[in-house]
């Protein structure tokens, strides 16, 4: 039986209370996502990624953590709508000796078509909270949680982009809560040619969180 | 204020960015105008560079490097078996990873719209009327 490797949580001491007025402070969902990536460390390394992308990077904790698993070889790109988040993500990378390259753009808009089928590891911790539709679409901190109807409005815009972005052997990690209806997400992604695995789940207060992993049906895991 | 930290934009990232201003049919490559560039040392990994090259638009890289005066001797065309040409890979590594843009603009080739690079972060967000 092999011991699973553990990786240290990124040092976030450079981020201040003032930063967290504008940028999502890592919470249970963030840490569950990191735990899932850690659990998948062998799988991630076996992909030998060239390009890693986190959509909606917030503080940069997750892309930086991915960097601690995969090392300095891959090119780490991340996107956000919030200029403050992009700046924090770069600082978080720097604080932890990972070169993180943020781009301010809506989802991945500016990175397509160039990233077509080139992303080897993709991560999205979307705004998944069920809110009124009119709360969706800000560029400030609300953008980090406001998910609209069923908490799905933002992630639903992203799903059709997954087959455009992922490489043949690429994997995509998504954070969801029960209200987002993960089974239905699985069906939708199957139509795009992806199988779904539930890597990890956890109850955090009232939220039943699940980390879903998608990979091409053609790929044998 | 002492700015001890600096984010940077590599030419590798520039190679992946496209303008999507409404109505634009060809928003690539963006013209790079750099006001503040630094050259830093980054560990050379020939396998990584060799794997990245097929993902690049080589001419866009050449244009961008040339526009900021950092083309050096990098060949304008890829030669056969570049993957095993260590001297070439080193030059490619330098241009892709070691020339860093801190401040500048990325100009849409069709509309002339400038997307700012501030503190190494390209801001590709579109205004409401541009979407």
């Amino acid at each position: 039986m092999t011991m699973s490797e553990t990786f240290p949580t990124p040092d976030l001491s450079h981020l201040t209370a003032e930063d967290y007025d504008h940028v999502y402070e890592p919470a249970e969902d963030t840490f569950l996502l990191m735990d899932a990536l850690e659990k998948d460390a062998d799988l991630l390394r076996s992909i030998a990624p060239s390009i890693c992308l986190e959509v909606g990077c917030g503080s940069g904790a997750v892309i930086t953590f991915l960097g601690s698993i995969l090392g300095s070889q891959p090119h780490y790109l991340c996107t956000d709508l919030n200029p403050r988040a992009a700046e924090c993500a770069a600082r978080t990378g720097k604080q932890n000796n990972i070169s993180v390259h943020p781009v301010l753009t809506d989802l991945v808009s500016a990175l397509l078509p160039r990233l077509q089928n080139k992303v080897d590891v993709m991560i999205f911790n979307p705004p998944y909270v069920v809110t009124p539709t009119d709360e969706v679409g800000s560029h400030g901190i609300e953008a980090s949680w406001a998910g609209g109807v069923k908490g799905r409005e933002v992630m639903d815009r992203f799903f059709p982009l997954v087959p455009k972005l992922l490489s043949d052997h690429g994997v995509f990690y998504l954070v969801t809560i029960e209200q987002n209806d993960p089974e239905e997400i699985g069906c939708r992604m199957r139509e795009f040619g992806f199988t779904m695995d539930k890597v990890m789940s956890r109850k955090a207060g009232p939220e039943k969180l699940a980390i879903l992993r998608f990979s091409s049906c053609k790929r044998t895991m | 204020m002492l700015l001890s930290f600096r984010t940077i934009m590599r030419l590798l990232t520039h190679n992946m960015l496209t303008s999507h201003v409404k109505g634009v049919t060809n928003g690539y490559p963006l013209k790079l105008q750099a006001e503040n560039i630094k050259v830093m040392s980054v560990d050379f990994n020939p396998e990584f560079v060799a794997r990245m090259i097929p993902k690049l638009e080589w001419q866009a890289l050449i244009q961008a490097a040339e526009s900021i005066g950092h083309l050096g001797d990098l060949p304008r065309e890829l030669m056969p078996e570049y993957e095993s040409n260590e001297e070439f890979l080193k030059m490619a590594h330098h241009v892709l990873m070691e020339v860093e843009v801190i401040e500048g603009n990325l100009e849409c080739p069709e509309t002339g719209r400038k997307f700012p690079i501030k503190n190494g972060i390209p801001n590709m967000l579109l205004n409401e009327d541009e979407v």
Side-chain angles (χ1 to χ4, degrees), chain B residues 105-119:
Chain B
N105 283 295
L106 296 164
E107 191 182 292
C108 173
E110 212 174 289
T111 64
R113 203 279 210 200
K114 289 187 207 272
F115 296 94
I117 305 164
K118 207 181 132 201
N119 200 17

Side-chain angles (χ1 to χ4, degrees), chain A residues 47-51 72-75 77 80-83 86-88 90-91 94 99-106 109-115 118 120 139, chain B residues 4-10 12-13 15-20 28 40 43 45 47-48 51-52 54-58 97 100 119-126:
Chain A
I47 295 170
S50 296
I51 295 177
S72 60
Q73 266 207 55
H75 187 59
L77 284 164
D80 210 288
L81 278 176
N82 178 343
E87 184 241 323
C88 286
R91 282 161 56 210
K94 175 97 178 175
S99 230
V100 167
H101 297 88
V103 174
L104 280 165
T105 187
D106 178 25
S109 171
L111 290 167
L112 279 170
R114 286 292 293 120
L115 279 190
K118 295 189 179 82
D120 300 310
H139 285 212
Chain B
S4 58
F5 163 74
R6 200 188 57 237
T7 330
I8 51 91
M9 189 194 77
R10 289 179 178 157
L12 174 52
T13 302
N15 203 266
M16 301 299 171
L17 296 174
T18 303
S19 161
H20 290 292
Y28 184 88
M40 294 290 284
D43 285 346
N45 187 308
E47 289 90 28
F48 173 79
R51 272 190 294 143
M52 272 315 234
K55 300 176 210 267
L56 302 173
E57 289 290 336
W58 191 253
M97 316 278 275
E100 306 176 345
N119 200 17
I121 300 173
N123 186 343
M124 307 300 296
L125 294 168
L126 297 171

Side-chain angles (χ1 to χ4, degrees), chain A residues 37-204:
Chain A
L37 293 171
E38 186 172 78
K39 182 179 176 193
D40 274 5
D42 286 344
L43 166 66
L44 291 166
R45 284 168 172 166
S46 72
I47 295 170
S50 296
I51 295 177
C52 299
L53 171 68
E54 183 178 11
V55 180
C57 58
S59 66
V62 174
I63 187 77
T64 299
F65 185 70
L66 183 68
S68 69
I69 297 174
L70 294 171
S72 60
Q73 266 207 55
H75 187 59
Y76 296 100
L77 284 164
C78 59
T79 67
D80 210 288
L81 278 176
N82 178 343
R84 205 54 195 265
E87 184 241 323
C88 286
R91 282 161 56 210
T92 299
K94 175 97 178 175
Q95 181 81 0
N96 292 274
N97 289 310
I98 306 289
S99 230
V100 167
H101 297 88
V103 174
L104 280 165
T105 187
D106 178 25
L107 292 178
V108 292
S109 171
L111 290 167
L112 279 170
R114 286 292 293 120
L115 279 190
Q116 189 145 329
N117 300 123
K118 295 189 179 82
V119 183
D120 300 310
V121 181
M122 190 154 74
I123 302 173
F124 191 13
N125 182 356
Y128 55 65
V129 178
V130 178
T131 66
T133 294
D134 59 22
E135 285 185 24
V136 179
S138 91
H139 285 212
I141 196 172
E142 315 74 36
S144 60
W145 66 71
V149 176
K150 281 179 75 176
R152 287 278 298 267
E153 289 185 43
V154 178
M155 61 178 101
D156 278 358
R157 276 206 299 134
F158 187 67
F159 296 146
L161 300 176
V162 177
K164 293 194 170 139
L165 288 159
L166 268 192
S167 61
D168 282 345
H169 48 265
V171 288
F172 167 49
Y173 292 85
L174 178 75
V175 182
T176 58
I177 52 173
E178 201 172 32
Q179 288 100 315
N180 304 145
D181 197 348
E183 292 308 317
E184 198 269 323
I185 294 173
C187 288
R188 197 176 285 215
M189 290 296 283
R190 206 169 309 129
E191 282 166 33
F192 287 128
F194 295 97
T195 54
M196 179 173 91
D197 289 286
K198 194 177 279 192
V199 182
M200 231 179 227
S201 55
R202 188 176 293 162
K203 197 157 191 299

